[in-house]
Amino acid sequence: MNSIIEAAQAQRAAPVMATGPLTLHLMQPQDASRWDAFVRACPEATFFHLSGWQKVIQQSFGIKTWFYYVEQGGQIQGVLPLAEIKSRLFGHALGAMPFCVYGGVAALGDEARRMLDDAAHALATKLGVGHLEYRGMRRAHPDDPSWHTKELYVTFRKEISGDDETNLNAIPRKQRAMVRKGIKLGLKAVVEDNVERMFAAYAHSVLRLGTPVFPKKYFALLQQTFGDECEVRTILTEDGRLVASVLSFYWRDEVVPYYGGGTDLAREVAGNDYMYWSLMQAAAARGCRIFDFGRSKLGTGAYDFKKNWGFSAEPLPYEYKLYTSSKLPDNNPLNPKYQLFIKMWKKLPLPVANFLGPYIVRNLG
């Protein structure tokens, strides 16, 4: 897997190195295009470092953000998007973009990285947060004891081929049978220019899990902001009934199915398996060679589903630096103190859950 990623990185043009003093700045609207040019070229950067996330997060949730960058001779050398979560229930934190699985410093050199770390430290101190959080795929501070990690999340990434038959045969037998069931039943996929049916399928699924729903405008903003890099793929029966839908991100040679869900019908017709197979087909045809099944918590149904598809779990060593807090955060559904809330939430009527959810979820991050 590492060789695949390294080869893809080598094919991209390296960012231009510059001379002169390094200086720290906050991104302004006029900086967005060169910020994104840097992110697209920087090997450490991810889709979740793009400037569009500032608009999405601020307009969807009213969350305050700081997009720091370091430049040298007019050339950006590193970026760090940060956001503040402040909640009586879930605590006070500064860190990578909320609701983004990857984040933290993306830089070309150690000095730029240090300056961005220092900026984050100064802001965390000024705000009086409980902790600072980076969400990298690898540890950024392995030798610094002030940064802590915890085993909670893993990611599932796998190479895919340009050949459908090869990809289908790589799916373990049981899940491959589910894909074939969906094909046999005549399920079809449509790519949509709105999020209406995607939101309906997603909201139904998260209520079943006891999780507060995101506001519909959040998904609409993602589609509006990221354009062709954000796809909504909906699965229907032959007679047009909604089965499932997924919102995915395309990034470099990767596809990332990010938000999705299925109706009750999806279980009867293997709708979720067919949906991810349809996405894999489309992504392979588009030239993607990495299928990033995304982040899951250890011990969850989503974790098991992805493993059953033949994906291997890779630990996500998120890093935390404590300030006013004395212990690492534990804001996740597996925490026993949230179990009563989850049980009660599952019993809410769907319209009520869809109304209340956005007021709660903005504090989760």
Side-chain angles (χ1 to χ4, degrees):
M1 178 61 68
N2 287 337
S3 61
I4 299 168
I5 298 171
E6 290 167 1
Q9 291 173 349
Q11 292 174 2
R12 297 192 296 273
V16 176
M17 298 300 290
T19 59
L22 289 163
T23 54
L24 178 73
H25 307 269
L26 279 172
M27 186 186 75
Q28 303 301 319
Q30 64 270 22
D31 300 318
S33 60
R34 65 194 194 102
W35 172 292
D36 286 342
F38 171 83
V39 167
R40 295 185 188 284
C42 178
E44 291 184 349
T46 70
F47 181 85
F48 305 98
H49 286 88
L50 289 170
S51 66
W53 284 99
Q54 184 172 61
K55 169 187 173 182
V56 168
I57 295 300
Q58 289 184 169
Q59 292 189 11
S60 298
F61 305 103
I63 292 173
K64 190 170 183 180
T65 65
W66 293 261
F67 274 47
Y68 287 108
Y69 70 92
V70 169
E71 72 174 2
Q72 185 177 37
Q75 300 287 339
I76 294 180
Q77 301 297 304
V79 298
L80 174 60
L82 294 171
E84 179 188 22
I85 298 290
K86 193 172 186 179
S87 163
R88 290 183 178 179
L89 183 60
F90 301 110
H92 188 191
L94 178 70
M97 284 298 97
F99 321 117
C100 293
V101 296
Y102 308 131
V105 173
L108 300 181
D110 290 341
E111 183 62 16
R113 188 173 292 106
R114 184 191 63 76
M115 289 181 67
L116 291 165
D117 275 345
D118 289 348
H121 172 73
L123 182 59
T125 302
K126 177 181 176 182
L127 296 174
V129 300
H131 69 273
L132 171 66
E133 177 184 7
Y134 285 177
R135 297 177 177 177
M137 282 189 270
R138 58 189 58 83
R139 291 196 65 179
H141 309 89
D143 302 317
D144 187 342
S146 68
W147 285 89
H148 309 273
T149 62
K150 62 186 300 186
E151 292 185 7
L152 177 61
Y153 294 109
V154 296
T155 189
F156 292 85
R157 293 163 55 83
K158 186 177 181 181
E159 180 182 5
I160 59 174
S161 165
D163 178 69
D164 284 349
E165 195 64 25
T166 300
N167 291 330
L168 187 60
N169 288 333
I171 302 172
R173 181 177 58 83
K174 184 177 179 181
Q175 299 306 122
R176 187 165 67 245
M178 298 293 280
V179 171
R180 293 192 188 281
K181 178 180 179 179
I183 296 171
K184 185 177 180 180
L185 290 173
L187 298 183
K188 59 183 179 180
V190 295
V191 175
E192 308 208 78
D193 62 1
N194 63 78
V195 299
E196 294 301 315
R197 290 193 288 199
M198 176 266 157
F199 181 79
Y202 158 81
H204 180 83
S205 288
V206 296
L207 177 61
R208 192 168 61 234
L209 294 171
T211 303
V213 69
F214 287 105
K216 187 190 297 185
K217 70 175 182 179
Y218 170 55
F219 302 112
L221 265 174
L222 287 171
Q223 192 177 48
Q224 172 192 321
T225 301
F226 295 113
D228 290 342
E229 291 176 301
C230 177
E231 179 196 83
V232 173
R233 176 171 296 265
T234 297
I235 307 303
L236 306 170
T237 60
E238 285 186 303
D239 58 359
R241 288 176 293 164
L242 175 63
V243 175
S245 188
V246 60
L247 183 151
S248 305
F249 299 130
Y250 284 94
W251 170 250
R252 296 173 179 162
D253 64 343
E254 304 177 15
V255 63
V256 188
Y258 208 67
Y259 293 111
T263 64
D264 290 336
L265 180 60
R267 295 185 177 186
E268 299 176 27
V269 298
N272 288 320
D273 289 286
Y274 179 83
M275 176 175 70
Y276 290 117
W277 167 243
S278 171
L279 176 62
M280 188 177 289
Q281 279 187 302
R286 187 164 164 163
C288 293
R289 293 299 174 260
I290 299 291
F291 194 96
D292 186 336
F293 229 147
R295 181 182 81 179
S296 290
K297 297 180 184 74
L298 296 167
T300 63
Y303 177 95
D304 293 336
F305 180 84
K306 294 169 186 179
K307 286 202 71 173
N308 290 341
W309 261 68
F311 284 65
S312 297
E314 301 175 29
L316 281 178
Y318 287 1
E319 292 185 311
Y320 305 87
K321 192 171 187 177
L322 300 181
Y323 288 85
T324 63
S325 293
S326 58
K327 58 183 179 179
L328 298 180
D330 193 19
N331 297 332
N332 78 86
L334 301 179
N335 187 333
K337 74 178 184 178
Y338 299 129
Q339 290 305 304
L340 178 60
F341 171 85
I342 291 171
K343 289 178 182 178
M344 293 175 59
W345 195 268
K346 289 179 179 180
K347 297 178 181 179
L348 290 177
L350 183 59
V352 176
N354 286 351
F355 175 77
L356 295 176
Y359 294 99
I360 298 173
V361 77
R362 70 176 300 276
N363 295 313
L364 293 175

